[in-house]
Amino acid sequence: MLSAMSEAPAPPAGYPAQWEADVVLRDGSVAHLRPITPGDVDAVHRFHAGQSAESIYMRFFAPLRQLSDRDVTRFTNVDYHDRVALVATVRGDIIGIGRYDRVTPTSAEVAFNISDSYQGRGIGSVLLEHLAVIAWESGVEEFTAEVLPQNRKMISVFSDAGYEVSRRFEDGVVSLTFQIRPTERSEAVRLSREHRAESVSMHSVLFPDSIAVVGASRRSDSIGHHILSNILAADFNGAVHAVNREAMEVLGLPAHARVSEIPDDVDLAVVAVPAEEVLEVVADCAEAGVRTLLVVSAGFAESGPEGEELQSRLLAAARESGMRVLGPNSFGVINNDPAVRLNASLAPELPPPGRLGLFAQSGALGIAVLASAARRGLGISVFASAGNRVDVSGNDFMQYWIDDDGTDAVGLYLESMGNPRKFSRIARRLASTKPVIVVKSGVSSYGVPPGHRARPTRVRPEAFDAMLRQAGVIRVENVHQMFDVAQLVAHQPLPQGNRVAIVGNSDALGALSAEACVSWGLQVAHGPVSLPSDATGERFAEALADAFADPDVDSVLTCFIPPLVTLDEDVATAVRDAAMKHEKPCLTTFLGMRGVLERLSGTTDDGRTVVVPAYAMPEDAVRALAAATRYAEWRARDRGIPVLPAGIDREAAETLVERILEESPEGRRLTLQEVTELLGSYGIEVWGSVPVRTADEAVAAAQAIGYPVVIKSVAPLMRHSPGLSGIRVDLRSEAQLREAFEGLNERLAPMSANSFVIQRMATPGVACVVRSDEDPLFGPVVSFSIAGPPTELLGDIGHRIPPLTDVDVSDLISSVKASPMLHGHRGAAPVHRAALADLIARVSVLADNLPEVASLVLNPVNAHVGGVDVLGAEVTLAPTPRRTDPGRRTLT
C-alpha cells in the first residue's frame, strides 16, 4: 500500500488540490475525497467491473457490463470548472464517483455511482455536499438529475440533503431539480451528519469488541506490557490479543506475529512499537480491517523533522486505509462504562467511575489530570489522551459526549488547537446541555508543544477568550481550577442567579467569603450568617434551612473552621441533609479539605445521589461558583439568530475580489473607489471623500459637498502615528479651509508626500473602530472598540468569531469597558445602537463570506443619535487562505 501511494502519477495541470478531503463516513470509518484525474482510467474500469448489474443499470439506464475506453477517458478527463468529478477512495480503490456537467452558466447535471459494498455508509451524501460547494463557488446555482423511479436510495440522497427538490416524471425517468445555495436547513443537515459520523467513529475507540496490543512484550518495564496488563486488570469485556513476533505468549495470552494473523476482527489496535516500525504495523492493520489505531509510541514530530515526516506518513497511511488515529505519543484511553471496562492506557488503576469526561493531550498531563481527579474522589466516565493530535482531537470526543448519557460534565486540557472554528461550534452545542471546562494556557505559536499540528495565529489572547465565551465554555487557568469547577457542576444543580447566602462559624471566614463573592461579581444575600465557633450540627441545620428557604438566595456557601468541641461529621451531615432537600447549589469550605468527601455524599428517597463539594479555601469555592453562575446565565439566555442583513450582493463582491486578485495575485491594499464598491455590495456606505492635493482643489471640493468640512491627511505616517495630528475639523469658510490646508501642508511636507481628502462634517457622535482580520488559525475575527485612548492606550477591544448571531453582536458592543460612552455618558445623547449593530453584522458576514479580505478597518465609525457614518475605511486583500473549517465535512 505504501509503495503504491508513493508511485501515484502526478496530477494534471490545474488540478484543484484544495478540493481534497478526508471525511468520516456514517459508520465511523474514513474515506478520502479527491478530484478525478486522467490517471484513474484503470481504477474506474476496476470500479465498474465490481458493480452489480442492478447498480450499473441504475446509473447508466442500460446494462453496460463493460465501459469503453472512450467513455472512461471522457469520464476521467475533466476541466475542473464546467466538468467536475470527485472520487471517494479507500486504500487507493475507488468506492464512489460523483460528477456534475454544466448545462447552462448557472445549472449543472449531477450524477453518482457508489460501490455496492459501500452503499449505506453515506458516501453519496458526502459527494453531493462537496460537489454543491464546488459548484456554488464557480457560479452554479442549480443541480438537476435524472434517476430511475426504483432508485430510491439515490432519490433520498437528494431529498434528505436539506434542499427543496422538485420532481417531474417523464418517459420512465424522474427528473429532479434543486437550488444548491446553502440554506439554514441544508447547513443543519450537514452538521448533523458530521456530528453523527464523528460520534460513531469514537464509539470504536471507546467500545471496541476486540483489542490487539501490538508490541505486547514480556518485559515488565515495556510500554506494551504495561498497557496489556492494564487492559486485563480492568477486566475488559471483550477479546484481547497480544501481538509479538518473538514470543509464544504474553501475560497468559497466545501471541500473534501480526495483527493480520489474528482470526477475529479487531476494532482497536494499540501500537506500542518503536516509531520506525509503526508504518509497517499500520499497513498490517489496514490489511486486517482494523477500525482505529491508538498509537502510544513516541519518536514522531515531537522529536524533530524526521519524526515530523514519519508522523505525516502515519496519518496519510491510516486515512488512506479508512482508519482513525489517536496519538501518536498518546497516554491512552479509559472508558469506565461497566459494559466495557476499558483501560487501554498507562494508568495502572482505573479512576473511580463517575460522570465527568476528561480529555488531555500529552501523556505527562494525562497522569497529572487522573491523579488529581483520584485525590479529590472525582469519578470519571471517559478519559482520553490525544498525544500529538495527528487525527483524533478534543472535537471528536466532544461530538461523542453530546449524546453520551453517562457524562454530565466535560473537562479539556488543551495544549494546542488545530481547528478553533470547529471547536467553537461543537463546544457551543455540547455546552447547551453539559458544562464544558477548558484549561488552555495560551494561543500563540510559542505555546504549541513539539509534534502538534497547529497553524500560527496573529490574534490577541482576548480573541480566544471571546471565542470560548461565545461557545458557553468555562475557561480556567489550571487543572486545580478545572476540578474546582467540575466537582461543583457535576454534582450540584446550576445556580438560577448570582445571589449567595454565606453560612459559617467564623466572622473572619465569612468576611473573606463575602469579599471573594463581590470580587467575582456575585451578590451576598443579607450578609454572611456567622454562627458561634462551637455551634452544633443542629444549629448549622437550622441556619442552612433558613438560607435555602429564602427566595432571595440562589446558592448557599458554607464555611467551617473545625473547633475543639463540634465534630466535623455533625456539620458535614447537616450540610449534606440540607442540600438534599433543595434544588439550589450548595458548596462548602472545610479548611484544608478538598474534593468529593464521603461524609458529604448521600442518596435521596427517590434514589438521587447528592454530593456537596468541599474546598480548602473560600476563594476556591467562590471562583468555582462564579464560573458556574456565568455558565448558567449563558445557558439560560437566548442565543439569538444568525445575522443576515438585507441588501447584500455577495456575487458582486466576489466578482470584484476575483478581478483584483487576478490583477494582483499576491494581494494589495484597495483604492478608495474599490473599497467603496466592495463595502457597498454589503450595504456599507463609506462617507464621501474627495482627494485633493492643492488648496484650490480643497476649496472646490468643499463648495461641491457643502460646508462645514473636514480635511484629513491620508499619508501612511499619519494613519499610524496617533501622536501626530493630520486632521482639521469644523472648517466653515474658504478662508479657514485655506489656512488649515496650508498649515497641514507645511507641517507634513518634510515627512511624506502629501495627500489629503475633504469630507463633509459629520454629526457629532462617538468615534468607534470596527475591523475584521483573517487569521490563519481562527479564520475571520471581528473586533470593536471606542476610538482613541481606549483602543490605542488601554487595548479595550472586543472580539468575536463569525458567524455571529444578533446576541453575539450586542454582546460585542457591550464587551468593551468604554461602552457606556455609547449610552448617554455624562448627559450626551445615546447613539443609534441598532444602526451600529447592523454595521457590525454586515462586517461579520462580509468577513465570513470572503476569506480573501485579509484586513478590513472602519476607522473612525461615527456613531450618533441618528445612525452611524463610516468616515474612514481600509481594505487589504490577500490570496485565499484555506480555512480550518470550510463549509463541507472534512477532517483537518
Side-chain angles (χ1 to χ4, degrees):
M1 180 188 68
L2 297 177
S3 61
M5 290 172 56
S6 62
E7 295 172 2
Y15 177 82
Q18 69 273 17
W19 295 351
E20 293 189 5
D22 294 308
V23 297
V24 182
L25 303 180
R26 186 176 297 161
D27 64 348
S29 63
V30 178
H32 182 65
L33 264 59
R34 61 169 175 80
I36 205 166
T37 71
D40 288 320
V41 168
D42 292 341
V44 172
H45 274 302
R46 289 196 302 271
F47 170 79
H48 185 81
Q51 292 292 81
S52 66
E54 180 184 14
S55 294
I56 292 173
Y57 189 80
M58 292 288 188
R59 168 63 180 90
F60 296 102
F61 302 176
L64 299 177
R65 194 56 257 176
Q66 183 175 357
L67 294 176
S68 68
D69 290 340
R70 179 179 179 182
D71 285 339
V72 175
T73 299
R74 180 170 57 86
F75 292 157
T76 55
N77 284 266
V78 297
D79 59 13
Y80 305 119
H81 186 265
D82 293 334
R83 298 180 64 243
V84 171
L86 300 178
V87 295
T89 67
V90 173
R91 301 192 69 190
D93 292 329
I94 294 176
I95 61 171
I97 303 174
R99 65 181 305 112
Y100 72 74
D101 293 88
R102 198 184 298 251
V103 179
T104 71
T106 59
S107 68
E109 183 176 1
V110 65
F112 300 93
N113 197 1
I114 310 302
S115 170
D116 287 355
S117 57
Y118 279 85
Q119 290 187 9
R121 301 194 191 184
I123 297 172
S125 298
V126 171
L127 286 169
L128 173 60
E129 179 183 303
H130 283 247
L131 284 175
V133 171
I134 292 168
W136 176 255
E137 291 177 348
S138 68
V140 175
E141 300 175 0
E142 179 184 82
F143 271 172
T144 63
E146 292 190 346
V147 183
L148 291 174
Q150 60 268 40
N151 195 353
R152 295 186 180 89
K153 290 182 180 178
M154 189 51 61
I155 293 176
S156 68
V157 166
F158 300 114
S159 59
D160 294 344
Y163 300 111
E164 294 294 332
V165 181
S166 62
R167 308 185 186 189
R168 187 180 75 256
F169 184 77
E170 186 176 353
D171 296 331
V173 174
V174 178
S175 296
L176 308 174
T177 304
F178 54 95
Q179 299 293 310
I180 61 173
R181 172 188 291 272
T183 65
E184 185 175 345
R185 181 167 172 244
S186 66
E187 180 69 1
V189 168
R190 178 179 75 86
L191 296 179
S192 175
R193 286 172 171 169
E194 176 193 65
H195 159 66
R196 186 169 58 246
E198 293 180 358
S199 176
V200 169
S201 74
M202 291 302 94
H203 198 273
S204 65
V205 177
L206 298 171
F207 291 87
D209 290 328
S210 60
I211 300 175
V213 180
V214 186
S217 173
R218 289 182 294 184
R219 295 195 336 266
S220 60
D221 61 343
S222 71
I223 292 178
H225 183 97
H226 278 298
I227 290 182
L228 180 59
S229 176
N230 293 342
I231 291 172
L232 297 175
D235 196 19
F236 171 64
N237 190 21
V240 183
H241 304 280
V243 179
N244 186 319
R245 294 179 179 179
E246 300 176 356
M248 297 296 294
E249 63 86 22
V250 179
L251 291 175
L253 297 177
H256 303 271
R258 305 169 64 87
V259 176
S260 56
E261 294 178 6
I262 297 173
D264 304 325
D265 292 336
V266 174
D267 295 323
L268 175 65
V270 182
V271 182
V273 301
E276 61 270 16
E277 299 177 15
V278 168
L279 288 181
E280 182 181 352
V281 173
V282 173
D284 183 53
C285 289
E287 182 180 343
V290 172
R291 295 174 62 87
T292 304
L293 300 172
L294 168 56
V295 183
V296 298
S297 307
F300 288 86
E302 81 282 359
S303 64
E306 292 184 4
E308 185 175 1
E309 170 63 20
L310 188 61
Q311 183 168 294
S312 297
R313 293 174 64 193
L314 162 63
L315 177 62
R319 286 189 172 172
E320 181 69 14
S321 302
M323 295 183 289
R324 305 243 27 207
V325 180
L326 183 61
N329 202 19
S330 169
F331 181 70
V333 63
I334 293 172
N335 186 358
N336 259 327
D337 191 308
V340 61
R341 298 190 299 274
L342 173 65
N343 182 14
S345 79
L346 292 170
E349 296 181 1
L350 278 173
R355 306 187 67 80
L356 175 65
L358 285 176
F359 173 86
Q361 288 176 341
S362 78
L365 286 171
I367 295 172
V369 166
L370 287 177
S372 183
R375 284 194 301 270
R376 292 175 182 246
L378 270 173
I380 305 301
S381 59
V382 166
F383 167 82
S385 162
N388 290 3
R389 190 180 45 76
V390 70
D391 176 21
V392 173
S393 70
N395 290 347
D396 296 283
F397 282 98
M398 285 197 298
Q399 295 277 37
Y400 167 78
W401 280 318
I402 287 172
D403 301 322
D404 179 28
D405 293 333
T407 299
D408 291 338
V410 169
L412 307 172
Y413 195 109
L414 304 178
E415 297 174 271
S416 65
M417 188 173 291
N419 194 337
R421 282 166 63 85
K422 185 173 182 179
F423 172 91
S424 178
R425 61 179 171 81
I426 297 174
R428 182 180 301 215
R429 182 175 178 184
L430 177 58
S432 67
T433 58
K434 301 174 184 180
V436 180
I437 312 158
V438 169
V439 182
K440 178 68 175 74
S441 56
V443 297
S444 73
S445 58
Y446 298 105
V448 177
H452 288 224
R453 294 193 307 151
R455 302 184 184 200
T457 179
R458 296 186 295 267
V459 303
R460 298 164 60 97
E462 293 85 350
F464 180 77
D465 290 337
M467 181 196 74
L468 296 184
R469 285 195 298 271
Q470 274 182 264
V473 168
I474 302 169
R475 185 181 184 185
V476 294
E477 297 177 1
N478 50 51
V479 173
H480 167 82
Q481 293 179 12
M482 179 174 72
F483 285 131
D484 279 348
V485 176
Q487 66 188 40
L488 174 60
V489 297
H491 297 107
Q492 288 288 303
L494 293 174
Q496 297 303 303
N498 71 340
R499 301 166 300 180
V500 184
I502 300 173
V503 179
N505 67 345
S506 164
D507 290 335
L509 202 57
L512 186 62
S513 301
E515 289 291 340
C517 285
V518 172
S519 69
W520 283 100
L522 301 177
Q523 178 183 342
V524 180
H526 311 307
V529 175
S530 183
L531 303 175
S533 61
D534 59 351
T536 63
E538 290 80 4
R539 184 69 184 89
F540 260 92
E542 293 172 2
L544 289 170
D546 292 341
F548 275 109
D550 191 336
D552 294 328
V553 169
D554 301 304
S555 305
V556 176
L557 171 62
T558 72
C559 307
F560 180 71
I561 294 179
L564 296 177
V565 292
T566 305
L567 297 177
D568 293 4
E569 289 81 356
D570 293 343
V571 176
T573 300
V575 172
R576 180 199 65 196
D577 292 347
M580 291 171 63
K581 298 173 184 177
H582 300 85
E583 286 298 317
K584 295 179 181 179
C586 179
L587 59 169
T588 185
T589 296
F590 280 73
L591 288 188
M593 302 179 187
R594 176 186 292 122
V596 178
L597 307 180
E598 184 177 352
R599 57 178 172 262
L600 288 170
S601 304
T603 304
T604 62
D605 293 338
D606 59 1
R608 180 170 53 93
T609 299
V610 173
V611 177
V612 179
Y615 298 85
M617 292 297 294
E619 295 94 336
D620 296 333
V622 172
R623 183 173 51 228
L625 180 59
T629 301
R630 288 194 298 268
Y631 167 68
E633 292 171 350
W634 175 88
R635 190 156 143 181
R637 70 186 301 191
D638 177 17
R639 244 94 69 203
I641 58 175
V643 293
L644 187 61
I648 290 177
D649 190 345
R650 179 175 178 175
E651 184 177 354
E654 290 174 340
T655 300
L656 174 64
V657 168
E658 183 178 352
R659 176 179 60 78
I660 293 173
L661 289 178
E662 284 180 355
E663 298 170 354
S664 306
E666 296 182 358
R668 62 173 172 82
R669 180 177 168 225
L670 303 192
T671 65
L672 178 60
Q673 180 179 348
E674 291 168 337
V675 169
T676 301
E677 184 179 350
L678 176 65
L679 296 182
S681 64
Y682 275 79
I684 301 172
E685 182 180 352
V686 180
W687 198 256
S689 300
V690 181
V692 296
R693 288 188 173 274
T694 66
D696 290 340
E697 290 179 359
V699 170
Q703 291 173 344
I705 63 178
Y707 287 98
V709 296
V710 177
I711 181 172
K712 298 168 59 178
S713 169
V714 296
L717 178 64
M718 295 299 99
R719 294 199 311 274
H720 300 294
S721 300
L724 297 176
S725 176
I727 302 177
R728 292 291 185 273
V729 300
D730 199 16
L731 304 173
R732 296 178 174 271
S733 67
E734 177 179 341
Q736 289 180 342
L737 176 58
R738 287 186 179 277
E739 181 181 359
F741 187 90
E742 294 299 339
L744 282 175
N745 203 21
E746 180 179 351
R747 182 179 179 211
L748 301 179
M751 293 180 284
S752 63
N754 297 340
S755 180
F756 303 92
V757 294
I758 298 294
Q759 290 183 328
R760 181 168 51 86
M761 183 77 175
T763 302
V766 179
C768 305
V769 181
V770 179
R771 69 179 297 151
S772 73
D773 294 280
E774 183 72 24
D775 184 72
L777 180 62
F778 285 81
V781 179
V782 173
S783 306
F784 170 77
S785 60
I786 305 298
T791 298
E792 298 163 0
L793 299 180
L794 303 179
D796 182 21
I797 305 171
H799 308 275
R800 291 296 183 272
I801 311 295
L804 304 184
T805 68
D806 55 344
V807 172
D808 291 331
V809 173
S810 180
D811 285 348
L812 174 58
I813 297 173
S814 300
S815 68
V816 298
K817 295 181 178 64
S819 62
M821 295 177 64
L822 303 170
H823 306 139
H825 182 61
R826 292 187 174 179
V831 308
H832 196 309
R833 184 172 172 123
L836 180 59
D838 179 73
L839 174 66
I840 295 173
R842 293 177 185 277
V843 169
S844 75
V845 174
L846 184 154
D848 207 24
N849 289 348
L850 301 173
E852 301 90 346
V853 176
S855 173
L856 183 159
V857 183
L858 307 183
N859 182 21
V861 171
N862 180 45
H864 53 86
V865 67
V868 292
D869 307 317
V870 179
L871 304 184
E874 293 182 12
V875 177
T876 300
L877 299 186
T880 308
R882 190 170 184 178
R883 284 181 174 170
T884 57
D885 192 29
R888 53 197 173 97
R889 279 180 283 170
T890 179
L891 290 170
T892 56

